[in-house]
Amino acid sequence: MASVDKPTPTTTNSDAQDPAPAAASAPDDVKTVTEAALFEAFGGVRGMVETVLPGLLFVSIYTVNKDLHLSAIAALAVSLVMVAVRLVRKDTVKHAFSGVFGVAFGVVFAMMTGNAKDFYLPGMLYTLGLALAYIVTAIAGVPLIGLILGPVFKENLSWRTRNPGRKKAYTKASWAWGLILLGKCAILFPLYWWADTTQLGWVLVTLKIPPFLLAVYLTWVFLAKAPPPIDVFAEMEAEERRKASETG
């Protein structure tokens, strides 16, 4: 993904309105850059495939033969293969590694309890915890999506005090993520208690991508309308050059 091409902003205080960058990007450029950054941050198409495939393989095998051990081992094996492929190609492995850990927890939990549905329980609990984290941090004024995307946009935490328009956008996005994930949990947890393993598995696989895409789309909408990010790394480099020129 392309890195964000950010303008050098004019510093404002925390009570000021949206900062006025010295060279503001055109709206279309901002939208394109935001789309590219989101695509990079959340793993893109490949990341989605790596998220869905282990669970899809597990429920497919279990639907056919009801063999918990074979289903779990196959899901874990495909996760490890995806990590190995990324390592060989020297790609970013964070999404693949997170998938391996998630699958491994599910496999261990299901093997310990002997209940195939428990393969999905750690991931469901993680989703619930993440939903609450998005909402709590949005209420606290430190929206989680801003903490995640700040480094991607090279703005770090500058949006908290110097770019109120982006803080507002990050807060809206965090609320969107939190409520969407809570809605997903409201569907899955009753099924965990009432449905069988195959029913729960197929619903869970079906709900992997659409809620995620909706949350990413809403984040893109909010950020595309927000002021451009403040590139704090460019500011530090400019300050270093200024000091070097003064001492030289």
Side-chain angles (χ1 to χ4, degrees):
M1 295 297 104
S3 61
V4 180
D5 183 14
K6 304 171 191 66
T8 302
T10 300
T11 303
T12 61
N13 59 38
S14 59
D15 297 325
Q17 299 300 314
D18 296 344
S25 301
D28 288 344
D29 292 340
V30 173
K31 292 180 179 179
T32 300
V33 162
T34 300
E35 180 180 355
L38 287 174
F39 198 77
E40 176 182 348
F42 294 111
V45 174
R46 187 172 180 181
M48 288 188 286
V49 170
E50 291 171 341
T51 299
V52 172
L53 190 56
L56 178 59
L57 188 60
F58 178 91
V59 71
S60 298
I61 295 175
Y62 193 83
T63 298
V64 173
N65 60 21
K66 300 297 187 290
D67 188 328
L68 169 59
H69 290 79
L70 178 60
S71 303
I73 292 171
L76 184 58
V78 76
S79 297
L80 292 172
V81 167
M82 290 187 293
V83 170
V85 170
R86 281 188 175 266
L87 288 172
V88 169
R89 299 183 58 178
K90 298 182 179 179
D91 294 335
T92 302
V93 297
K94 61 180 180 180
H95 300 290
F97 267 129
S98 64
V100 167
F101 289 131
V103 172
F105 276 118
V107 168
V108 170
F109 208 67
M111 293 293 190
M112 289 176 59
T113 64
N115 184 351
K117 282 197 292 187
D118 287 340
F119 172 78
Y120 303 109
L121 187 57
M124 292 166 57
L125 293 173
Y126 172 79
T127 299
L128 177 60
L130 189 60
L132 295 176
Y134 277 119
I135 292 173
V136 169
T137 56
I139 293 173
V142 193
L144 179 59
I145 199 69
L147 301 178
I148 295 171
L149 294 180
V152 176
F153 286 107
K154 299 181 182 179
E155 59 183 333
N156 285 354
L157 296 179
S158 62
W159 49 268
R160 288 200 63 203
T161 56
R162 300 173 56 195
N163 206 338
R166 287 188 72 81
K167 181 179 179 180
K168 183 177 180 181
Y170 282 138
T171 301
K172 289 180 179 179
S174 286
W175 273 107
W177 278 90
L179 294 176
I180 288 169
L181 293 180
L182 277 183
K184 181 178 176 179
C185 291
I187 296 172
L188 293 178
F189 276 96
L191 288 176
Y192 174 79
W193 296 109
W194 301 331
D196 60 31
T197 300
T198 56
Q199 290 171 332
L200 173 62
W202 286 113
V203 172
L204 194 147
V205 168
T206 301
L207 290 179
K208 277 284 186 180
I209 300 302
F212 170 80
L213 290 179
L214 176 59
V216 171
Y217 172 73
L218 291 175
T219 302
W220 176 81
V221 169
F222 296 141
L223 290 180
K225 296 179 180 179
I230 298 172
D231 189 337
V232 295
F233 297 105
E235 287 186 339
M236 288 188 290
E237 290 173 358
E239 180 64 17
E240 289 176 359
R241 288 195 298 269
R242 184 188 66 79
K243 290 181 179 179
S245 63
E246 289 178 351
T247 56

